[in-house]
Amino acid sequence: YWMNATIGENPLISVAAATLPSGKIVAWSAFSKMQFGGATGQTWTATFDPVTMTAPTRLIDIGHDMFCPGVSVLGDGRVMISGGSNHHETTFYDAEKDVWVRGSSLNIGRAYQGQAVLSDGTVLTIGGSWSPNKNAVKYAEVWERGSWRRLSTDIDPVRLETSSDPFPWKRDYYMWLFQAPNGKVFHAGPRREMHWIDVQSETMEDSIVRGDDFDSPNGNAVMYDIGKIVTFGGSLFWNDAFGSRRTYTIDISGEVGTETVQRVGNMNYFRTLLNSVVLPNGHVVAIGGQYFSTLFADLDPVMAAEIWDPETGDWTILSNMTVPRTYHSVAVLMRDGRVWAAGGGLCANFCTGGPESNHPDAEIL
């Protein structure tokens, strides 16, 4: 069942979040608690404490509006936030010291990019044409030894883009990147043609096609076990498109050329703009989304969560949420195994579905 987790007189809309080593959850919106748009250099944040059920908010003013960036939790527990509305900036949140610290700048400004922590502690990022200069090619770079280094153009993000969206700058949003056991990075989508990226040699090569799937922007991909990925949901376009129920597993546990794809049981609901969380036992929970993607509106919401079992490959319906979680929402795993879901909207009074599409609240499953 779902329980309300909204605490505070003036909470913010959580569009990004990370679970901290302490079990608390840090979340943030943009320069405003209720709206994005503008590189002001400020970000509203909140830290939810599941023990005291409090979530004090704080305005972070360090020259970085952290709306829709790349987010990574590093091995030492720090949270890395790169790009976003202030598209060249990098910020680290050190929960142990409770401080936000600016890091080195990206070489290429970006937002809505794909980002992954690698086995050696470095961080790879690629794509992200939402901001700035939507016509620029957002080549890969890697964060190592405290700074960003641009990689060879042989790692071509154009080859990784989806091909279906009518707006070209949306085709490189949030690529699905995973560290593989063989030391390389696997690009699992949203494009149906998948790829291997070798950060050490700064090269890239084609992998296989994701079965009979379509390009699936707004879908999800989760590594549920070592070298095992499951993908599900999505739609052909970012906006104005029907969601998908299709689910696929991808095995990248071996060497390049041995990867396999298998279509498994469909989700019970068509979903796009959804969130998902992998549980400690490898099961995956799908949360929210829409049957038909309409940005900044709660039209056609999917209220029931469902859980995927890697042993059977099938989905089981769980209980309904009380609040729709669609575009600009987030979900994370809590330290005690529960799931925290929050946000949606962040469009103030210009929401397609009206201001009621803003959700400065949270729930726990």
Side-chain angles (χ1 to χ4, degrees):
Y1 67 94
W2 292 88
M3 62 176 290
N4 180 27
T6 303
I7 303 296
E9 295 181 357
N10 189 21
L12 55 79
I13 296 173
S14 302
V15 295
T19 302
L20 304 173
S22 65
K24 295 180 181 179
I25 296 169
V26 63
W28 61 95
S29 54
F31 76 97
S32 164
K33 293 181 178 181
M34 300 291 290
Q35 177 180 339
F36 76 95
T40 66
Q42 299 177 321
T43 304
W44 276 101
T45 70
T47 303
F48 173 71
D49 187 334
V51 176
T52 63
M53 293 293 286
T54 58
T57 59
R58 179 167 48 156
L59 181 63
I60 306 302
D61 187 4
I62 56 173
H64 191 182
D65 184 334
M66 295 175 273
F67 167 72
C68 278
V71 181
S72 297
V73 179
L74 305 181
D76 59 10
R78 290 181 299 160
V79 181
M80 169 194 274
I81 304 103
S82 69
S85 288
N86 283 109
H87 38 255
H88 277 91
E89 314 310 334
T90 303
T91 294
F92 297 89
Y93 176 59
D94 186 330
E96 185 176 354
K97 299 177 181 177
D98 191 26
V99 294
W100 296 79
V101 179
R102 280 279 300 278
S104 62
S105 297
L106 290 156
N107 294 290
I108 302 171
R110 58 184 87 229
Y112 280 48
Q113 69 266 36
Q115 189 161 296
V117 179
L118 308 186
S119 56
D120 60 0
T122 62
V123 178
L124 172 70
T125 192
I126 189 168
S129 290
W130 181 74
S131 176
N133 190 0
K134 290 179 169 58
N135 296 316
V137 178
K138 302 301 177 81
Y139 289 103
E141 46 191 311
V142 64
W143 178 80
E144 57 185 7
R145 294 187 292 276
S147 63
W148 291 99
R149 176 174 63 87
R150 180 168 164 171
L151 300 180
S152 167
T153 56
D154 289 344
I155 302 175
D156 184 1
V158 176
R159 290 170 56 192
L160 310 181
E161 294 177 356
T162 59
S163 58
S164 55
D165 202 285
F167 298 99
W169 62 86
K170 295 184 178 182
R171 297 175 184 173
D172 71 347
Y173 286 2
Y174 289 128
M175 296 175 183
W176 304 341
L177 306 174
F178 295 93
Q179 174 71 77
N182 61 22
K184 295 180 172 58
V185 175
F186 190 74
H187 162 250
R191 185 185 178 99
R192 65 187 299 264
E193 292 88 5
M194 302 183 292
H195 301 82
W196 288 101
I197 298 172
D198 189 328
V199 174
Q200 298 303 316
S201 64
E202 302 188 27
T203 57
M204 184 172 72
E205 60 184 298
D206 294 340
S207 177
I208 56 178
V209 175
R210 198 172 55 253
D212 60 354
D213 198 8
F214 306 101
D215 287 357
S216 299
N218 296 334
N220 279 195
V222 177
M223 182 171 277
Y224 63 92
D225 200 350
I226 298 172
K228 306 289 182 63
I229 300 167
V230 60
T231 73
F232 45 92
S235 51
L236 280 174
F237 317 127
W238 260 76
N239 200 16
D240 296 329
F242 287 100
S244 170
R245 298 193 303 154
R246 297 186 180 194
T247 304
Y248 301 83
T249 57
I250 309 168
D251 189 331
I252 58 169
S253 57
E255 295 301 316
V256 173
T258 66
E259 60 272 20
T260 59
V261 173
Q262 180 181 1
R263 184 170 176 178
V264 293
N266 288 339
M267 286 191 292
N268 293 282
Y269 297 95
F270 295 88
R271 296 180 194 257
T272 183
L273 295 168
L274 69 156
N275 294 302
S276 59
V277 172
V278 60
L279 303 182
N281 62 0
H283 290 60
V284 178
V285 178
I287 298 166
Q290 294 170 297
Y291 298 102
F292 184 87
S293 60
T294 304
L295 305 185
F296 306 115
D298 287 338
L299 302 175
D300 305 310
V302 184
M303 300 302 291
E306 49 188 308
I307 188 168
W308 180 74
D309 185 337
E311 294 296 322
T312 65
D314 293 325
W315 293 88
T316 301
I317 298 174
L318 303 176
S319 58
N320 283 12
M321 299 178 295
T322 60
V323 176
R325 302 293 174 195
T326 58
Y327 191 45
H328 286 167
S329 62
V330 65
V332 296
L333 178 69
M334 300 174 65
R335 291 279 297 213
D336 61 10
R338 294 181 295 169
V339 175
W340 184 86
L346 198 71
C347 39
N349 294 318
F350 60 85
C351 300
T352 307
E356 61 270 20
S357 299
N358 291 306
H359 299 297
D361 45 40
E363 299 174 81
I364 296 175
L365 175 63

